């Protein structure tokens, strides 16, 4: 059998909202619009992706899936307001919190083996103690849905992004709300901690990435307009590079400080992307979109990429550069991926002058 650069696409029966990688095995979970959850093993060997199990316990759309840190449990949340915890080996439902919130759930973060945070469509955040099955924090600080949740390494400061255009800061050790950032234009859609914990990046529906200094959460320290319709899902790949998925169907690799769009990691042609996730070995990025597919992209080259401060005069109308053979940038010619193969080092140098896909203010 043929060995591919990335696993083959996985096709589902409905649009996939959410995708997550197992923390140590080549296993992926996906949740779809019908409320079904699928767990697959994936491989670069052609024809080797296998469905391990599926579950239809949710009554409405599954909005997010996430593995526990030990990889033994799979958490899922749904528009049906419930949280489900499944056994990864067997696919059995271990427990559920059926009316976890009064409004449909939209985002979730597994904090550690005992704690889980959930956010709903009405801006309410809850933090759960899974040993008791009860929430010890419940706060409504946002006016709109909570789109994403993350936490610092010491598991103390929890950050939320919301459709109301603000980022929320909560101290879960002290069980208190700290502050909201000032309003940004558009919905804040996603959040990632970058630069060894010194910066926070937020994606927005306007296609801007907002940066905050750690401990300077009130006002942005920098903003960066990516020439994309929106930035809907961001994932940190290295300390300085993140991948951002957009409604235009393109996944861009973006360097922060200096702010540059490095190029295109992959695309679902003309289909809005719901979520992206990186694999446990940082080799692949998976994306799910309205085309009912989960696709895999090779991101191994981003690990060692360095973007220098120096930039030459901007080229006008330059295309988005492809970062792998499978990715064909926005309006790139078909062969751009092939040229890059022969001269990867030059491609990185060129990088510095071709930032036509971005503008930083």
């Amino acid at each position: 059998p043929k060995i591919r650069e990335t696993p083959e696409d996985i096709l589902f029966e409905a649009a996939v909202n959410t995708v997550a990688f197992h923390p140590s095995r080549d296993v992926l979970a996906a949740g779809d619009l019908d409320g079904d959850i699928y767990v697959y093993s994936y491989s670069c060997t052609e024809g080797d992706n296998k469905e391990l199990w599926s579950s239809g316990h949710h009554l409405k759309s599954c909005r997010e899936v996430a593995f526990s840190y030990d990889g033994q449990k799979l958490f899922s949340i749904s528009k049906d307001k419930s949280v489900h915890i499944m056994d990864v080996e067997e696919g059995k439902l271990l427990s559920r919190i059926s009316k976890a919130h009064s409004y449909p759930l939209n985002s979730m973060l597994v904090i550690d083996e005992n704690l889980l945070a959930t956010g709903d469509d009405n801006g309410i955040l809850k933090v759960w103690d899974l040993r008791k099955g009860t929430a010890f924090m419940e706060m409504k600080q946002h006016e709109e849905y909570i789109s994403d949740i993350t936490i610092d390494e010491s598991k103390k400061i929890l950050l939320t992004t919301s459709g109301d255009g603000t980022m929320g800061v909560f101290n879960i050790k002290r069980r208190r709300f700290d502050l909201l950032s000032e309003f940004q234009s558009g919905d804040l859609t996603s959040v990632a901690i970058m630069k060894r914990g010194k910066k926070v990046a937020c994606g927005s529906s306007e296609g801007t990435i907002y940066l905050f200094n750690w401990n300077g959460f009130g006002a942005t320290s920098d903003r960066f307009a990516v020439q994309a319709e929106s930035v809907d899902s961001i994932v940190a790949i290295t300390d300085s590079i993140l991948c951002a998925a957009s409604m235009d169907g393109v996944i861009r690799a973006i360097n922060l400080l200096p702010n540059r769009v490095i190029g295109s990691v992959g695309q679902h042609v003309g289909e809005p992307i719901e979520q992206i996730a990186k694999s446990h070995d940082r080799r692949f990025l998976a994306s799910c979109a309205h085309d009912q597919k989960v696709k895999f992209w090779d991101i191994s080259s981003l690990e060692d990429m360095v973007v220098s401060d120096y930039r030459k005069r901007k080229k006008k109308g330059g295309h988005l550069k492809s970062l792998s053979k499978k990715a064909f940038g926005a309006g790139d010619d078909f062969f751009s991926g092939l040229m890059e193969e022969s001269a990867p080092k030059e491609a990185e140098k060129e990088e510095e002058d071709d930032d036509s896909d971005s503008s930083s203010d």
Side-chain angles (χ1 to χ4, degrees):
K2 193 171 146 216
I3 303 289
R4 302 161 45 96
E5 276 187 11
T6 59
E8 292 170 277
D9 298 355
I10 304 174
L11 183 62
F12 294 85
E13 286 167 25
V16 178
N17 290 327
T18 172
V19 60
F21 279 101
H22 190 280
S24 55
R25 289 164 44 201
D26 291 348
V27 167
L28 169 127
D32 73 13
L33 209 57
D34 294 341
D36 295 325
I37 292 165
Y38 296 88
V39 173
Y40 273 82
S41 62
Y42 61 88
S43 153
C44 289
T45 308
E46 208 152 272
D48 225 14
N49 290 344
K50 278 191 202 70
E51 183 184 316
L52 303 177
W53 54 265
S54 66
S55 141
H57 290 291
H58 283 300
L59 308 173
K60 292 181 182 170
S61 172
C62 174
R63 297 266 184 88
E64 185 118 46
V65 290
F67 286 94
S68 59
Y69 281 93
D70 62 10
Q72 290 175 11
K73 294 181 185 135
L74 181 72
F75 294 82
S76 62
I77 56 166
S78 164
K79 190 179 170 181
D80 68 14
K81 307 172 189 169
S82 72
V83 176
H84 287 181
I85 305 170
M86 314 276 298
D87 173 74
V88 170
E89 258 335 286
E90 312 267 308
K92 285 195 188 104
L93 184 64
L94 297 172
S95 63
R96 69 159 67 122
I97 308 170
S98 50
K99 288 264 185 301
H101 286 234
S102 310
Y103 298 89
L105 284 148
N106 193 58
S107 53
M108 163 176 66
L109 175 73
V110 177
I111 297 170
D112 60 26
E113 61 279 8
N114 298 317
L115 302 183
L116 176 79
T118 50
D120 71 24
D121 281 358
N122 197 36
I124 295 166
L125 169 77
K126 288 191 185 187
V127 184
W128 301 83
D129 183 335
L130 296 168
R131 291 162 293 198
K132 300 179 183 151
T134 54
F136 63 84
M137 255 176 92
E138 178 175 346
M139 305 210 162
K140 172 154 169 68
Q141 297 296 337
H142 292 293
E143 296 303 310
E144 284 277 349
Y145 68 95
I146 293 178
S147 55
D148 199 8
I149 310 173
T150 192
I151 197 162
D152 67 343
E153 253 180 71
S154 62
K155 312 279 189 199
K156 181 175 133 189
I157 302 297
L158 182 132
L159 305 173
T160 53
T161 47
S162 168
D164 63 12
T166 64
M167 178 174 76
V169 184
F170 300 84
N171 183 325
I172 67 160
K173 288 266 185 338
R174 299 213 169 140
R175 306 188 177 192
R176 69 173 190 213
F177 160 69
D178 278 355
L179 76 157
L180 278 188
S181 73
E182 58 188 21
F183 290 91
Q184 311 304 329
S185 57
D187 304 15
L188 291 188
T189 57
S190 44
V191 58
I193 297 172
M194 307 288 293
K195 299 284 185 185
R196 298 192 175 86
K198 293 197 193 76
K199 293 271 178 189
V200 176
C202 294
S204 81
S205 58
E206 308 281 291
T208 301
I209 289 176
Y210 294 100
L211 295 180
F212 295 87
N213 288 326
W214 193 263
N215 288 335
F217 296 128
T220 55
S221 65
D222 201 1
R223 64 186 59 188
F224 173 38
V226 182
Q227 286 177 358
E229 272 179 61
S230 62
V231 174
D232 290 321
S233 177
I234 61 176
V235 168
I237 306 299
T238 67
D239 261 339
S240 303
I241 295 173
L242 57 80
C243 283
S246 165
M247 263 174 69
D248 58 19
V250 180
I251 303 162
R252 294 165 174 81
I254 294 171
N255 189 83
L256 298 181
L257 304 171
N259 297 336
R260 287 302 141 76
V261 173
I262 299 168
S264 157
V265 169
Q267 67 289 310
H268 289 253
V269 182
E271 299 283 350
I273 297 171
E274 285 292 335
Q275 200 174 36
I276 51 176
K278 71 172 175 197
S279 62
H280 62 92
D281 53 7
R282 295 169 162 213
R283 193 176 153 199
F284 302 121
L285 192 80
S287 56
C288 57
H290 293 194
D291 55 11
Q292 300 176 212
K293 283 180 187 153
V294 167
K295 295 182 178 231
F296 296 85
W297 311 100
D298 180 359
I299 53 167
S300 51
S301 67
L302 295 177
E303 215 41 58
D304 315 312
M305 200 173 275
V306 176
V307 175
S308 88
D309 261 327
Y310 173 68
R311 47 164 84 172
K312 292 183 193 156
R313 200 166 49 83
K314 219 165 167 184
K315 284 191 218 133
K316 282 278 173 276
H319 288 314
L320 191 53
K321 202 177 81 199
S322 317
L323 298 177
S324 72
K325 280 194 229 171
K326 265 173 81 179
F328 52 75
D332 251 1
D333 62 315
F334 179 69
F335 296 107
S336 59
L338 305 175
M339 297 188 302
E340 196 189 51
E341 282 304 306
S342 57
K345 283 289 161 268
E346 282 168 46
E348 282 176 38
K349 283 202 193 73
E350 250 177 72
E351 210 16 67
E352 285 128 40
D353 38 87
D354 185 12
D355 65 338
S356 50
D357 193 57
S358 66
S359 59
S360 172
D361 53 15

